[in-house]
Amino acid sequence: MIQVISITIENFRGIKRLKLDLGGKNFAICGPNGTGKSGIVDAIEFALTGSVTRLTGQGTSGISIKEHAPHVDGRKQPRRSRVILEASIPSLKKSITIERNVYTPSAPAIRPDDDTTRAVLEELERHPEFALSRREILRYVLTPPGERSKEVQTLLRLDQIEKVRQSLLKIANSCTAELRTAEAGVTAAKTQLLAVIGGAELRPEALLNTVNARRSVLRLVPLTEIKRDTSLKAGMIDIKKDPEARPTVSKARAIADLTALDGFLQAEDPAVTIGRKEVAVKLTSLSQKPELLRSLRQQEFLKSGLDLLDEALCPFCDTAWDLGELREVIARKLSAAKEANDVRQAVLAVAAPVIDFLTKISALIKNLAAFGEPVVLKPEIAILNRWTSSLESATSGIRTLSNPVATRQMLIESWNRGPDGTDRVMEDIRARVNALPDLSKEDEAREFLTVCQERLERYRSARRTQELWKGRAEIAQKVLSHYSESTTAVLTGVYKSVEQDFSRYYRFINREDEDAFEGKLTPSLGKLGFDVDFYGRGFFPPGAYHSEGHQDGMGLCLYLALMKHTLGEGFTFAVLDDVLMSVDAGHRREVCGLLKLEFPNTQFIFTTHDPIWLHHMMTEQVIKGKSSIRFRKWTIDDGPMLWTETEVWEEIAHDLDSDDVSGAAGTLRRFLEFISAQLADKLRANVEFHADAQYDLGDLLPRVAAIWRELLNRAEGVAKAWGKQDEVTAIKQRQDDFTAKLARSQVEQWAINKSIHYNEWGTFKKQDFTPVVAAFKELLASFQCPTCGGYFYVTPQKGSRESVRCDCSAVTLNLKEPS
Amino acid sequence: MIKRPASAPKSSIIDSAFKAFSEHLSQDASIDRGLVERMRALLLEEQDYSAEAIRNALFPENLES
């Protein structure tokens, strides 16, 4: 990965033009909400990946990078909306420049444009996780296990493992469903075959005897065994019959088929009776739960939808969708309907004999319909077909639970009756069968062997299909099982390592009271459990007992552990966008310590609206020197505005030129408050403490002036003690200069003379306020090094004051007396 | 939400996981050696993780029969 040296942003998002020099070091951007901090995060992400998450993620319908990434006034000129990023690549010890404009976001200009640089950029495009916001941090902590698994796997780039598992699961499920259909086919074919040969079970010797009896009538060689390819009609000659002279239906077979059907309808198996009643009770209960019914219906809809997803557009409204994302959403919804799945399993557990029974009746009715005319007339065939349809609907209704009321009614009231008119149809069919003439023994035998062969073939085919799907279902299940077992073992190892790092990081930042903290990441088929120790009382989900601030801390620790595992030494860069805002001051210091200790080679870019957090980062040396900027406001014309001397004085001058004394006074006051707070900290002024951390100018500037006077006096005394007359002279000159400037600013008279108090500045006339501005500009110069322009500061930051310095060391005032 | 490009290649963790699976599968004597080899080639060499490709590796014979 890279480290950012500088970034130049032009006409991008809310920024007209801004250049930041980061120097490959940690950098902080601080400012109130709406001052343009996130615009910089967007620009970094755009430069490195060509994308902007905030313009492409959820809830961004109708928003595009090309149209909405440029500054609002430059949206017609996307070529001029660009980001130039200079970076170093530590692993290659080289520097690169990436320039990307909004018009061609996927075609950056890269210098040097060679294979190694391109490879680094491609790696970055694959790792947009370098930018992390607070919202995203909580994803790792508070999401349900199934979703957390996806988020974490995405971060660890393991989503392909889950994708393969999902595919194997889908294949195994579809094989099981095919096997179930094939088994029903075997049941139907067997029932039809048994109807012709008689008996309750299909036994080879019984079939052989029955067949050989008919073959004997036809003087055919008896069969010795029935193999998979044995023809029952072997040697039989088909005689073309005169349809006018000979009946085409065997009376005996028709009676056998009718008898078989009557037998099932009139003497129900006790197991079926119990099963029907149990299923009916469950269906009654289900029909009283509309929410559950809705969930079940939705499941069926989603299942069908999942199978049909192969188009780039929604079939309802033609909206373009991301197929992968949509599949994931649907799969999540399906697995979420746990109660619906439980009910379905409970019904299926008692429904097996009922489904078997309905399948058999349906097969026997189809036998009957197959006679055709003259035994079964066309209108009667239609009625029989409606009957089989209703039986198949009942079977489907039990499996899908889609219409519990109708399915229950069928099972209780009309399971053994067809649609209206069926009784009459059956009577008529019986009458016609009874009226059929008896065939000769030879014709009867020939007809028997022909039909028996047909039904045997159907049965054999059904068995082959069943065996095929049984084998496939077993293989698919075995492979899925091996896959789940082996990948879970690998992932467990990965998560163990992440878990150890996570726990160590969290203990570090909470060592005061959670030094025995442990976190547990538990992977299981497509899910990732996450539980944390709560003060030795047990392991609970992170959101159960820990505060929001602690959860924020956990999110950051988990993110850091995951990134470390994913990138190792390559984790050289991360953007933490407004993270840790609910973490308290004490723990923020520890977070700074953690980043310094564990990630000394990673460049962190922080954004925050909280100046105190920025201050923590600076005092803890996570942010050093000038590696931060503070935005004071944002305007549509100028973008983010910094608290820099040049900008502020220019703005005040502009306001005064426009006779806007009130505006100039407001800017001067806020700027002086900002600088006074900085100086109070740098010079270690004694400011009255406010618990709300709100300090106005009157609280700060007089105390800054007082400490500066005291420091100069002390420095003079020390210089005298060391016998350094030149320094004494220089300090005296500085004291005189400061006294004069302070007098002109009238700061010391604020408490005495209200008419010159800063609260009244807004009422001044331009000619009265202009000298005030000049006086404060001069006064601030007293605290600045004339060489580097930096404000003076006392060292060390705590304990006995030893010196006053500036960044370039051109000015050093010794405060330490000779011992 | 940060999204990753769909074309992201596999990581070393994925590689380890697929190798472990391949090894696991090859130790099951009840599974056809051809299937083991097809799955290994698919995941480790061809890197085609689509359901269709996996189905064909599992059941290369006429699937519509």
Side-chain angles (χ1 to χ4, degrees):
Chain A
M1 276 249 266
I2 56 137
Q3 290 184 326
V4 178
I5 305 297
S6 74
I7 182 163
T8 304
I9 305 164
E10 292 176 4
N11 301 306
F12 187 84
R13 303 294 288 147
I15 300 169
K16 275 282 179 76
R17 183 178 166 80
L18 180 71
K19 182 175 184 198
L20 298 177
D21 290 310
L22 291 80
K25 297 173 184 165
N26 291 346
F27 195 87
I29 304 152
C30 180
N33 291 335
T35 51
K37 302 184 297 296
S38 294
I40 296 174
V41 175
D42 292 344
I44 293 171
E45 188 188 355
F46 178 72
L48 296 177
T49 69
S51 180
V52 178
T53 300
R54 289 199 302 164
L55 300 184
T56 55
Q58 284 179 334
T60 56
S61 174
I63 298 176
S64 70
I65 288 181
K66 198 163 272 186
E67 285 193 40
H68 304 102
H71 187 278
V72 67
D73 292 338
R75 59 190 188 281
K76 303 283 185 203
Q77 298 164 303
R79 286 179 204 272
R80 293 183 56 199
S81 174
R82 61 177 188 157
V83 181
I84 303 164
L85 189 137
E86 286 181 84
S88 65
I89 306 172
S91 60
L92 300 175
K93 293 191 172 75
K94 70 190 282 189
S95 297
I96 60 168
T97 303
I98 305 161
E99 180 177 338
R100 210 185 284 260
N101 70 55
V102 169
Y103 187 74
T104 53
S106 56
I110 303 167
R111 295 181 293 276
D113 193 355
D114 52 36
D115 288 347
T116 51
T117 309
R118 286 268 167 192
V120 169
L121 200 60
E122 283 169 14
E123 180 76 358
L124 275 162
E125 287 178 2
R126 290 194 295 270
H127 280 287
E129 309 88 7
F130 59 73
L132 184 75
S133 68
R134 176 162 188 262
R135 184 167 54 89
E136 288 157 348
I137 258 188
L138 292 174
R139 281 196 326 227
Y140 303 115
V141 177
L142 298 179
T143 49
E147 288 181 39
R148 180 183 301 111
S149 174
K150 285 188 174 61
E151 301 289 359
V152 169
Q153 291 202 4
T154 298
L155 190 68
L156 285 174
R157 304 168 64 209
L158 301 178
D159 29 354
Q160 300 293 6
I161 290 183
E162 179 57 15
K163 186 180 174 187
V164 172
R165 195 189 72 82
Q166 290 284 354
S167 293
L168 286 171
L169 180 64
K170 188 176 175 187
I171 293 166
N173 286 342
S174 72
C175 286
T176 304
E178 292 285 358
L179 174 60
R180 201 169 58 195
T181 305
E183 284 170 345
V186 170
T187 301
K190 186 177 166 185
T191 306
Q192 290 175 331
L193 181 59
L194 283 170
V196 71
I197 62 176
E201 285 302 321
L202 192 58
R203 288 195 295 273
E205 63 273 19
L207 176 61
L208 194 63
N209 291 339
T210 311
V211 167
N212 279 338
R214 270 54 175 201
R215 290 180 65 86
S216 167
V217 171
L218 296 173
R219 298 187 190 84
L220 295 172
V221 179
L223 300 174
T224 54
E225 60 179 335
I226 297 179
K227 297 182 185 170
R228 291 174 75 93
D229 57 350
T230 302
S231 169
L232 308 181
K233 301 192 294 178
M236 186 178 95
I237 299 167
D238 263 333
I239 300 171
K240 292 281 181 191
K241 306 178 186 74
D242 177 358
E244 293 297 319
R246 293 167 182 259
T248 55
V249 176
S250 157
K251 182 177 180 180
R253 178 166 61 82
I255 289 172
D257 280 347
L258 272 170
T259 306
L261 179 59
D262 286 341
F264 270 100
L265 294 177
Q266 286 161 16
E268 190 184 16
D269 184 331
V272 177
T273 311
I274 294 168
R276 271 196 308 111
K277 286 179 182 168
E278 282 183 338
V279 172
V281 168
K282 291 190 187 306
L283 292 177
T284 303
S285 165
L286 180 62
S287 62
Q288 290 161 357
K289 296 177 180 173
E291 282 298 315
L292 193 54
L293 271 176
R294 184 179 157 72
S295 176
L296 282 162
R297 271 200 294 273
Q298 200 178 33
Q299 268 202 327
E300 286 305 311
F301 173 74
L302 291 173
K303 272 184 191 170
S304 310
L306 204 54
D307 289 338
L308 294 171
L309 281 185
D310 54 2
E311 300 288 337
L313 303 176
C314 168
F316 289 113
C317 61
D318 291 337
T319 304
W321 57 25
D322 181 319
L323 266 182
E325 275 188 17
L326 188 59
R327 282 202 176 94
E328 281 185 21
V329 169
I330 293 174
R332 268 206 299 272
K333 285 188 173 184
L334 280 172
S335 64
K338 185 177 179 306
E339 191 181 358
N341 285 327
D342 290 347
V343 169
R344 194 190 306 277
Q345 291 308 318
V347 171
L348 288 176
V350 294
V354 182
I355 290 174
D356 185 68
F357 176 71
L358 295 175
T359 304
K360 285 175 176 170
I361 295 181
S362 180
L364 291 169
I365 296 168
K366 282 178 184 169
N367 266 357
L368 214 54
F371 283 123
E373 293 194 359
V375 177
V376 185
L377 307 181
K378 278 184 181 167
E380 294 168 341
I381 292 174
I383 288 175
L384 293 179
N385 285 344
R386 285 216 305 278
W387 191 1
T388 56
S389 291
S390 72
L391 292 167
E392 283 162 6
S393 292
T395 305
S396 167
I398 293 170
R399 285 190 170 133
T400 63
L401 303 180
S402 54
N403 193 349
V405 175
T407 308
R408 179 192 170 281
Q409 190 178 5
M410 167 73 187
L411 291 176
I412 294 298
E413 297 172 12
S414 56
W415 63 275
N416 57 354
R417 292 202 312 268
D420 287 347
T422 307
D423 290 347
R424 180 61 189 267
V425 166
M426 291 299 289
E427 274 178 32
D428 290 348
I429 291 172
R430 276 191 198 94
R432 284 188 215 106
V433 167
N434 288 329
L436 286 170
D438 291 323
L439 299 181
S440 68
K441 281 187 179 176
E442 288 78 9
D443 282 344
E444 190 73 63
R446 195 173 287 111
E447 205 275 351
F448 177 92
L449 291 178
T450 302
V451 172
C452 199
Q453 178 68 35
E454 280 173 13
R455 294 187 186 183
L456 180 62
E457 280 305 324
R458 210 176 298 153
Y459 174 69
R460 284 170 169 164
S461 171
R463 283 295 302 271
R464 281 195 297 274
T465 305
Q466 181 201 26
E467 281 166 20
L468 173 77
W469 286 111
K470 188 180 175 194
R472 285 183 178 176
E474 280 174 4
I475 288 171
Q477 195 55 52
K478 266 188 195 174
V479 172
L480 172 64
S481 172
H482 282 300
Y483 185 85
S484 300
E485 206 175 308
S486 54
T487 54
T488 299
V490 170
L491 291 183
T492 301
V494 170
Y495 290 134
K496 197 77 195 162
S497 163
V498 171
E499 171 188 296
Q500 284 168 355
D501 283 337
F502 160 75
S503 300
R504 186 159 52 84
Y505 298 162
Y506 185 83
R507 277 197 298 274
F508 183 91
I509 62 176
N510 295 278
R511 57 183 177 273
E512 268 185 21
D513 60 346
E514 289 191 88
D515 60 346
F517 174 88
E518 292 286 347
K520 281 184 183 171
L521 286 168
T522 317
S524 63
L525 305 177
K527 294 181 179 176
L528 182 62
F530 183 34
D531 291 296
V532 293
D533 166 60
F534 187 70
Y535 296 92
R537 301 294 198 279
F539 283 82
F540 306 95
Y545 294 112
H546 278 93
S547 71
E548 197 179 336
H550 285 88
Q551 291 167 30
D552 265 15
M554 285 179 203
L556 178 67
C557 291
L558 188 53
Y559 167 77
L560 292 172
L562 290 166
M563 288 300 273
K564 183 188 166 190
H565 200 93
T566 309
L567 298 174
E569 293 296 313
F571 182 34
T572 61
F573 172 66
V575 181
L576 302 182
D577 186 12
D578 229 3
V579 300
L580 302 183
M581 290 322 299
S582 59
V583 176
D584 56 55
H587 291 103
R588 284 181 186 174
R589 285 203 173 89
E590 303 305 343
V591 168
C592 290
L594 175 74
L595 297 181
K596 277 198 302 179
L597 183 72
E598 296 282 350
F599 302 95
N601 300 318
T602 304
Q603 178 189 29
F604 290 100
I605 297 176
F606 303 90
T607 71
T608 179
H609 60 262
D610 183 358
I612 297 173
W613 179 210
L614 173 64
H615 190 73
H616 287 150
M617 290 191 272
M618 296 176 84
T619 54
E620 296 301 318
Q621 296 282 297
V622 168
I623 298 296
K624 293 178 184 170
K626 293 182 177 175
S627 294
S628 68
I629 50 167
R630 289 191 62 173
F631 291 157
R632 57 194 173 96
K633 68 175 185 179
W634 174 90
T635 67
I636 196 163
D637 292 322
D638 298 317
M641 300 184 76
L642 300 168
W643 278 124
T644 63
E645 301 258 336
T646 313
E647 277 196 17
V648 170
W649 298 127
E650 280 177 3
E651 187 178 326
I652 291 171
H654 178 266
D655 286 346
L656 287 175
D657 285 347
S658 314
D659 283 330
D660 181 7
V661 176
S662 174
T667 303
L668 179 62
R669 176 182 165 169
R670 285 192 296 278
F671 180 58
L672 289 174
E673 276 176 354
F674 170 72
I675 293 294
S676 298
Q678 303 280 306
L679 284 170
D681 179 61
K682 286 172 183 283
L683 301 177
R684 298 175 56 185
N686 296 315
V687 178
E688 196 172 289
F689 176 74
H690 293 180
D692 62 2
Q694 297 297 310
Y695 298 92
D696 63 25
L697 190 54
D699 297 319
L700 299 167
L701 192 50
R703 305 310 306 159
V704 168
I707 192 69
W708 186 236
R709 196 190 292 280
E710 189 184 319
L711 289 168
L712 290 175
N713 289 342
R714 184 165 164 185
E716 184 194 2
V718 169
K720 278 181 185 168
W722 284 97
K724 295 188 173 178
Q725 192 52 46
D726 289 353
E727 285 185 18
V728 173
T729 306
I731 293 168
K732 271 188 178 294
Q733 195 178 341
R734 197 178 284 280
Q735 284 172 319
D736 293 344
D737 179 63
F738 177 65
T739 304
K741 286 175 178 172
L742 188 63
R744 281 199 289 279
S745 73
Q746 299 183 304
V747 167
E748 291 177 314
Q749 294 177 49
W750 281 348
I752 305 162
N753 185 352
K754 287 189 176 175
S755 68
I756 59 157
H757 190 271
Y758 60 86
N759 281 346
E760 302 301 318
W761 286 349
T763 63
F764 282 21
K765 291 191 169 143
K766 179 181 170 184
Q767 62 270 28
D768 298 327
F769 190 61
T770 302
V772 172
V773 173
F776 279 98
K777 196 172 177 180
E778 284 182 352
L779 179 66
L780 291 186
S782 301
F783 305 107
Q784 285 174 292
C785 166
T787 306
C788 66
Y791 285 97
F792 298 128
Y793 54 90
V794 170
T795 61
Q797 288 179 313
K798 289 180 181 175
S800 177
R801 293 174 175 85
E802 293 180 2
S803 66
V804 173
R805 294 173 174 276
C806 68
D807 287 337
C808 70
S809 300
V811 175
T812 304
L813 305 177
N814 188 10
L815 303 175
K816 216 171 168 182
E817 301 263 1
S819 53
Chain B
M1 183 179 287
I2 298 278
K3 287 196 295 188
R4 297 198 323 98
S7 58
K10 64 192 172 75
S11 69
S12 58
I13 301 172
I14 292 183
D15 207 48
S16 304
F18 287 165
K19 278 180 181 161
F21 165 58
S22 221
E23 182 68 18
H24 218 261
L25 207 57
S26 67
Q27 287 169 4
D28 186 339
S30 70
I31 292 182
D32 171 57
R33 298 300 91 184
L35 189 154
V36 174
E37 177 50 30
R38 285 193 302 274
M39 287 302 290
R40 192 200 62 76
L42 185 73
L43 299 182
L44 291 166
E45 290 168 13
E46 296 161 34
Q47 294 174 32
D48 184 346
Y49 311 134
S50 67
E52 192 56 32
I54 294 169
R55 191 186 294 274
N56 287 338
L58 287 176
F59 312 122
E61 64 272 25
N62 180 10
L63 291 175
E64 305 307 318
S65 65

